[in-house]
């Protein structure tokens, strides 16, 4: 176990990893890395390493879960046993089940579900390494994987958290800040539609602090949105180059 650091913010106002309060971690997104999937994406956000794979729309199994007028979106968020320092049981934990649900609910509004009646879309999220904020990084990657699969979408969903470390509102908390900090506010956004699809809060904030955290998280989402679009473009630019 890591010892509780004396302070999460130093005298210069910098965080333990050297970031300013409004800085995101380093983010890299790659698209289409699993040929067996209909769409896939890999994200590294700081020390988080997460894979998202999309299958479908395809025939629904078990069949009785199919709906006559729309597709059914299913999400499975799973942390690998080696993704955290102490081995995590590979069986789905209560947290895995909760995160699978909130991730599905964050992604679903972006999909035209009535285009594919009686089918299912499966989204598998494998967290290979976790360092705080994995639900948001998972949403970001899964949305890119959905776009890569060619499913018609209203917009990409971009997610980012903000929270409170010591007395400062900070963007994109890492694991230490998440655990030792006072609050964490994950937000998911469809930036083009300006619609929030996930808003949670863990911890205690005043109303002013909450508003500041949400606004900071939304600014983070805007930056990540650009990276998502660049990652998608990069894949299709490569396809074009190969054909020429
Ligand atoms: P999020 O990853 O979305 O921030 P949580 O706030 O529940 O979700 O988790 C914060 C962090 O705690 C995770 O990103 C991960 O680094 C760590 N964590 C989660 N589950 C475990 C576990 N079973 N063992 C050790 N660390 C964990």
């Amino acid at each position: 176990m890591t010892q509780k650091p004396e302070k999460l913010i130093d005298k210069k106002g910098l965080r333990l990893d050297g970031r300013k309060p409004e800085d995101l971690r380093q983010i890299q997104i790659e698209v289409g890395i699993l040929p067996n999937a209909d769409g896939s994406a890999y994200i590294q956000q700081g020390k988080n390493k997460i894979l998202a794979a999309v299958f479908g729309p395809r025939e629904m199994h078990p069949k009785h879960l199919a709906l006559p007028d729309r597709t059914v979106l299913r999400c499975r968020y799973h942390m690998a046993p080696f993704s955290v320092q102490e081995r995590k049981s590979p069986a789905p934990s209560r947290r895995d089940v909760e995160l699978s649900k909130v991730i599905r609910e964050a992604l679903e509004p972006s999909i035209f579900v009535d285009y594919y009646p009686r089918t299912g879309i499966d989204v598998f999220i494998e967290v290979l390494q976790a360092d705080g904020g994995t639900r948001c990084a998972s949403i970001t990657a899964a949305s890119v994987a959905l776009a890569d699969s060619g499913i018609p979408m209203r917009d990409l969903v971009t997610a980012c958290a903000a929270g409170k470390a010591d007395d400062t509102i900070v963007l994109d908390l890492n694991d230490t800040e998440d655990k030792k900090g006072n609050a964490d506010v994950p937000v998911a956004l469809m930036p083009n539609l300006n619609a929030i699809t996930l808003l949670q809060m863990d911890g205690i904030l005043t109303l002013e602090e909450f508003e500041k955290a949400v606004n900071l998280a939304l600014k983070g989402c805007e930056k990540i949105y650009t990276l998502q679009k660049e990652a998608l473009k990069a894949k299709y630019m490569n396809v074009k180059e190969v054909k020429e």
Side-chain angles (χ1 to χ4, degrees):
M1 287 294 280
T2 46
Q3 283 294 92
K4 180 173 170 37
E6 296 254 310
K7 282 192 172 222
L8 294 172
I9 308 280
D10 71 11
K11 282 183 199 147
K12 290 184 190 155
L14 298 179
R15 296 152 73 176
L16 291 173
D17 53 13
R19 281 184 291 159
K20 293 188 199 129
E22 66 284 2
D23 284 349
L24 287 167
R25 290 174 280 186
Q26 280 268 345
I27 298 178
Q28 264 176 295
I29 303 173
E30 278 175 66
V31 182
I33 47 160
L34 293 176
N36 284 354
D38 293 315
S40 58
Y42 173 66
I43 187 166
Q44 285 193 42
Q45 184 160 353
K47 291 183 197 154
N48 286 325
K49 296 184 182 207
I50 300 170
L51 200 52
V54 171
F55 297 83
R58 61 184 177 181
E59 196 177 333
M60 187 75 182
H61 291 290
K63 278 195 174 139
H64 71 268
L65 292 181
L67 295 173
D69 57 343
R70 49 164 289 181
T71 187
V72 174
L73 178 67
R74 289 188 290 197
C75 287
R76 191 190 79 155
Y77 167 99
H78 181 249
M79 281 175 86
F82 51 82
S83 61
V84 284
Q85 272 192 340
E86 281 173 42
R87 177 185 178 275
K88 184 202 166 279
S89 160
S93 61
R94 284 172 66 107
R95 178 177 168 276
D96 287 353
V97 175
E98 181 213 325
L99 293 205
S100 299
K101 176 182 181 286
V102 298
I103 291 170
R104 175 175 55 74
E105 288 174 353
L107 293 171
E108 200 170 68
S110 70
I111 297 171
F112 289 98
V113 289
D114 49 347
Y115 280 20
Y116 301 102
R118 292 180 296 280
T119 64
I121 299 171
D122 289 303
V123 178
F124 295 99
I125 292 159
E126 288 295 323
V127 180
L128 307 176
Q129 189 166 281
D131 188 43
T134 59
R135 86 193 58 202
C136 290
S138 298
I139 292 168
T140 300
S143 184
V144 169
L146 281 163
D148 181 43
S149 75
I151 293 168
M153 292 165 75
R154 294 184 173 85
D155 196 358
L156 287 168
V157 185
T158 307
C160 189
K164 189 173 162 189
D166 296 341
D167 290 327
T168 310
I169 301 297
V170 295
L171 184 64
D172 191 18
L173 290 85
N174 63 26
D175 191 36
T176 313
E177 291 170 331
D178 189 323
K179 297 226 164 67
K180 317 282 183 199
N182 302 320
D184 179 26
V185 182
V187 178
L189 174 76
M190 292 194 283
N192 236 356
L193 302 175
N194 199 22
I196 289 178
T197 64
L198 169 87
L199 181 58
Q200 295 185 294
M201 184 168 98
D202 184 11
I204 297 171
L205 293 175
T206 65
L207 187 58
E208 289 93 284
E209 286 171 339
F210 174 73
E211 279 174 8
K212 202 173 164 195
V214 172
N215 287 330
L216 189 57
L218 291 174
K219 278 193 192 143
C221 287
E222 293 286 350
K223 287 185 192 151
I224 298 172
Y225 189 47
T226 309
L227 301 177
Q228 285 176 303
K229 287 188 289 187
E230 276 171 9
L232 281 162
K233 274 188 209 152
K235 175 183 170 184
Y236 292 100
M237 296 297 274
N238 283 341
V239 171
K240 201 175 155 216
E241 275 164 24
V242 171
K243 275 186 181 168
E244 276 170 1

